Structure formats: structure tokens, C-alpha cells
Amino acid sequence: MAARVDLDGKPIKPLTICMIGAGGFIGSHLCEKLMAETPHKVLGLDVYSDKIKHLLEPAGAHPWSDRIQFHRLNIKNDSRLEGLIKMSDLTINLAAICTPADYNTRPLDTIYSNFIDALPVVKYCSENNKRLIHFSTCEVYGKTIGSFLPKDSPLRKEPEYFVLKEDESPCIFGPIEKQRWSYACAKQLIERLIYAEGAENGMEFTIVRPFNWIGPRMDFIPGIDGPSEGVPRVLACFSNNLLRHEPLKLVDGGVSQRTFVYIKDAIEAVMLMIENPARANGHIFNVGNPNNEVTVRQLAEMMTDVYSKVSGEPSLEEPTVDVSSQEFYGAGYDDSDKRIPDMTIIHKQLGWDPKTSLWDLLESTLTYQHRTYAEAMKQAIAKPAAN
Ligand code: NAD
Ligand code: UDP
């Protein structure tokens, strides 16, 4: 492998990375990239390894086999954690409960997972002078300032009322009984703690705020590779509806807006953070694609069109159906209205820009969903009738 250089032309030394949550959606893509394109070593920690099985097995069979280890452990209660952090140059913490259906129905688990369970990770990094890249969320911004203006106010169109900036925007959450915000609040507090470790104890850190990263291997398809009653994030919910030939469910009219970024673009940003510590340390980075904004209704329509193209199956005459948030998520749900990331800081520090359009990223992702799940879905649907 050719010697790698950083953005300032300096050679990059091979690193040992302790990756917590390596078996998840983002972790699996990051492991893949690190194995295929770098000399870095990964100590992967997770309770599941299904999504990185192709990198781990057969044992010893891949060119990278001696650079990746998997440690099946729960960071809540495992004494191996500190040792693994100590053995590494860098820790990346991805572990979290991060599906909105859990925030209002399992608020205790959500708060423990996103705040309490992350505390030892921060402590061990600080005490052992190890660098930490911690995954937070765009949800720490909460609602936009513009959402509080009258519906017809012309100010709603002014970027200062909705563009989310790491060093300027406030964090605006709903009342406590709207337990949706348990996740955002826990993430905000761990961000503040990490920032304080940097300010008071000199810990080297980078905080990542992902804005709806999507792509293959995200979450699960209910009843196929996850619980039938489970509610994953929107990409998997809509994929599930498309695979089952049922209408896509629009929560509260599908009027919320999101910007979606392709996982492979976003992973490039994380690689730049890993390999350019002098430019990334002490920063909080938005990572998203402001050019890919749609309402959830528009996303449903586009996914319906793309899926019909990649599967060759005609779409339903009524491709969507409205459902209330109370019915879909239960009491205590609330929503972020709009999420446009400001890209100034990441562009200036790391020269990163997202590339892939929403249509293109949906085309490759839904091709993967169809290839991976269509046959299993056919069998699952046929089974009850056969019995
Ligand atoms: P994911 O659920 O696919 O991955 C999280 C992984 O952490 C899972 O494999 C899970 O098993 C593991 N994990 C959770 N608790 C653990 C524990 N106690 N011990 C060991 N492993 C544990 O989610 P993801 O989309 O890959 O997200 C990764 C991080 O990025 C999370 O912190 C999430 O809050 C943040 N994030 C992601 C997005 C996105 O667009 N995907 C958006 C905002 C924030
Ligand atoms: N949503 C929807 N139908 C679904 C799943 C989600 O309308 O089947 C909406 C949800 O209410 C939210 C948006 O899609 O407005 C994005 O939801 P996701 O779960 O991906 O997470 P979020 O972006 O809110 O963190």
C-alpha cells in the first residue's frame, strides 16, 4: 500500500483504533473503508457482529485479517473496555440507542445508552491521554428558530432562521413530557462533558453530528432480519413498505424536512477526521448534505419511483397513507421540523463536501435492499398462507 499523507502532506502513521459500536450501520462502513484502503488496525467492540461478518470471516482469509479483531462486549458492564482503549491510539464511540421509536417508549434506556454508558469511555480517554472521536447527532439542534414564527412569516425563508451552525445555533427542545427529546438531551450533555474535558483537562476530541446518513445495512427490515413489531428509521420503514407492496406511512402528513447524505460520502469525512487530528481536534462537525433536502412526503414519492425502477415492479396506485404520530410512535413523540447543516467549518478544516445526489444514493441503496431482501420477503409473505 502506498504511503498515506495527510492534508498537510505529512506521512500518516498506522493507527490502532478502538471502535465502539463497530457492528452497527456506520461502524460497518467505516471498518470496510479502513480495511480496504488504509494500514490502520481496528479493535471492534459491539454486542453484534452480523454487519461486519464479511470482514471477519473466514478467519485469516482476507488481506486485512490481521488488522481487525472483534470483541463481543457490552460497554455497560465490561472490565475489558479500559484495556482496549489503552491499547489504541484513537477511540471512536458509535455505540448508542438511536432509533426515534425508542426515544419516547424507552426513555430510560435511551438516556442511559447515550449519556451514562458513554461516561466511562470519556473518562478512560481523558485519564489515558487518548484521542476520542465521539458520535453525537444533528438532533442536538432540536427545532429551528423559524418553526416558532407564524406560518406565513417571510422570515421563515431567511437562512439565519433555519440553517444549523455548530458554533452559533441554540439547542431547542420540547417540554419534558415530549420524551422524544430524551435522546437529544442526553447527546447534548455528553457533548458538553467532552467539551469540558477538552477545556479543563486538555483531552483531544472531535464531535460528529451526523445529519441523516443513509445507505445499505441501515437498521433492519421488520420480520426479516429484525423484530416484526420493530420500528426502524425512515429508510428501513419505507424499504419495508416497498418490499411488502404496501403504502408508505407518512407520520403527521410527512411535512417534516430532512437532508439525506450518502453513507459513503459521510465516511470520507470521518476518514479525514481520523487522519488529520491537528485539523479535527477541538471541533464539532456537522456532516450532512444541504443540497439533498426533501419533505418526508417527497422522500416517500422518490423512493417509490426509484424502487419501481430498480425492481421492475409497478408502484401502487395509492403509494402513501397518512398516520398520526400518536398511532405510529405512541405518546410523547415530537419532531424536528427542518435540518439544514451549515458546512463552513468542515469545509474549512477538512476540505470535505458531500457529492452524491438523493436520487443516486436512493438508487444504489434500494438496489441493495431489493437484492438483499426481496426473495426472503416473498417467502415470509407466502409462509402464513401455506401453513
Ligand atoms: P446503529 O444502531 O446501527 O449502531 C450502533 C451500534 O452500537 C450497534 O451495533 C449496537 O449494537 C452498538 N451498541 C449500542 N449499545 C452498545 C453497548 N452498550 N455496548 C456495545 N455496543 C453497543 O446506529 P448508527 O446509525 O451506526 O449510529 C452510530 C452513531 O451515530 C450513534 O451514536 C448515533 O446516535 C449517531 N447518529 C447516527 C445517525 C445516522 O444518520 N445514521 C444520525 C445521528 C446520529
Ligand atoms: N417517518 C415517517 N414514516 C415512517 C418512519 C418515519 O413519516 O415510516 C418520519 C418521522 O416522523 C420523521 C422522519 O420520517 O419525521 C425521519 O425519521 P427517522 O426515523 O429517520 O429519524 P429522524 O430523522 O427523525 O431522527
Side-chain angles (χ1 to χ4, degrees):
M1 219 176 272
R4 293 175 70 79
V5 290
D6 67 15
L7 290 171
D8 300 303
K10 298 201 186 100
I12 298 166
K13 276 196 242 127
L15 301 166
T16 298
I17 301 170
C18 174
M19 195 190 298
I20 306 168
F25 163 57
I26 296 175
S28 72
H29 285 274
L30 191 52
C31 285
E32 238 172 36
K33 182 91 172 172
L34 286 163
M35 292 303 111
E37 295 178 23
T38 79
H40 306 311
K41 192 171 165 185
V42 170
L43 310 180
L45 282 58
D46 206 304
V47 286
Y48 303 112
S49 59
D50 299 9
K51 294 183 185 185
I52 50 171
K53 217 167 156 186
H54 60 295
L55 301 173
L56 302 169
E57 294 174 5
H62 302 290
W64 55 76
S65 289
D66 60 346
R67 289 192 289 113
I68 186 162
Q69 289 174 13
F70 181 71
H71 300 262
R72 192 174 305 279
L73 61 84
N74 188 328
I75 60 163
K76 267 183 197 303
N77 49 25
D78 201 298
S79 57
R80 288 173 287 174
L81 179 63
E82 183 169 14
L84 291 163
I85 289 176
K86 273 187 176 170
M87 282 165 65
S88 308
D89 304 294
L90 161 69
T91 294
I92 301 180
N93 189 11
L94 294 149
I97 286 178
C98 52
T99 30
D102 292 322
Y103 308 161
N104 58 316
T105 54
R106 297 169 59 204
L108 285 174
D109 287 340
T110 300
I111 294 167
Y112 273 82
S113 169
N114 284 284
F115 181 65
I116 308 282
D117 298 347
L119 287 177
V121 177
V122 179
K123 181 170 169 261
Y124 297 147
C125 287
S126 183
E127 286 174 356
N128 295 292
N129 295 316
K130 300 292 183 182
R131 183 178 175 224
L132 172 65
I133 298 181
H134 185 84
F135 273 70
S136 179
T137 172
C138 59
E139 210 165 306
V140 294
Y141 293 109
K143 298 177 185 244
T144 63
I145 306 172
S147 70
F148 294 89
L149 294 168
K151 286 261 174 300
D152 56 355
S153 167
L155 291 178
R156 278 183 172 242
K157 296 212 164 59
E158 298 292 324
E160 66 216 75
Y161 288 88
F162 62 81
V163 173
L164 303 168
K165 295 190 178 184
E166 298 92 328
D167 53 352
E168 283 181 27
S169 299
C171 301
I172 308 173
F173 304 155
I176 303 300
E177 65 183 29
K178 296 281 186 195
Q179 296 199 82
R180 158 68 189 239
W181 303 107
S182 58
Y183 169 72
C185 191
K187 286 281 203 200
Q188 187 197 151
L189 191 53
I190 199 74
E191 278 201 23
R192 290 191 185 275
L193 186 102
I194 292 167
Y195 196 90
E197 280 289 352
E200 289 190 30
N201 295 327
M203 186 177 80
E204 292 183 344
F205 74 87
T206 301
I207 289 170
V208 188
R209 291 182 178 165
F211 280 65
N212 294 77
W213 300 9
I214 61 174
R217 292 197 294 270
M218 185 169 196
D219 300 336
F220 58 91
I221 299 297
I224 304 296
D225 57 1
S228 322
E229 300 306 311
V231 180
R233 287 170 284 189
V234 69
L235 174 80
C237 284
F238 286 175
S239 300
N240 182 37
N241 299 143
L242 291 165
L243 286 155
R244 290 179 189 274
H245 306 287
E246 61 187 29
L248 281 58
K249 292 186 177 143
L250 297 179
V251 172
D252 292 341
V255 295
S256 296
Q257 291 166 292
R258 294 288 187 273
T259 51
F260 293 94
V261 63
Y262 192 33
I263 182 71
K264 291 188 194 297
D265 288 356
I267 290 294
E268 297 277 352
V270 183
M271 290 296 297
L272 287 165
M273 293 175 207
I274 293 173
E275 297 193 323
N276 293 274
R279 287 168 175 256
N281 282 346
H283 286 283
I284 299 176
F285 292 115
N286 287 343
V287 181
N289 187 338
N291 307 317
N292 280 350
E293 190 184 35
V294 277
T295 62
V296 174
R297 179 179 291 278
Q298 288 166 332
L299 174 74
E301 289 163 357
M302 202 187 274
M303 283 183 66
T304 302
D305 291 347
V306 172
Y307 191 72
S308 175
K309 183 180 168 202
V310 303
S311 68
E313 294 161 7
S315 38
L316 298 177
E317 256 176 49
E318 302 278 342
T320 59
V321 61
D322 283 310
V323 49
S324 73
S325 56
Q326 170 76 33
E327 206 182 317
F328 193 79
Y329 289 112
Y333 182 74
D334 199 357
D335 210 351
S336 298
D337 53 303
K338 187 174 173 76
R339 290 181 182 158
I340 304 262
D342 184 273
M343 295 276 90
T344 312
I345 296 183
I346 191 157
H347 183 79
K348 176 165 170 263
Q349 292 302 117
L350 302 172
W352 180 81
D353 294 302
K355 297 189 189 80
T356 313
S357 71
L358 186 56
W359 179 276
D360 288 352
L361 75 86
L362 288 177
E363 196 164 323
S364 52
T365 306
L366 293 183
T367 300
Y368 171 89
Q369 303 288 58
H370 183 67
R371 208 180 50 221
T372 310
Y373 295 109
E375 197 47 50
M377 184 60 86
K378 237 186 245 164
Q379 289 176 17
I381 291 171
K383 230 188 229 161
N387 287 339

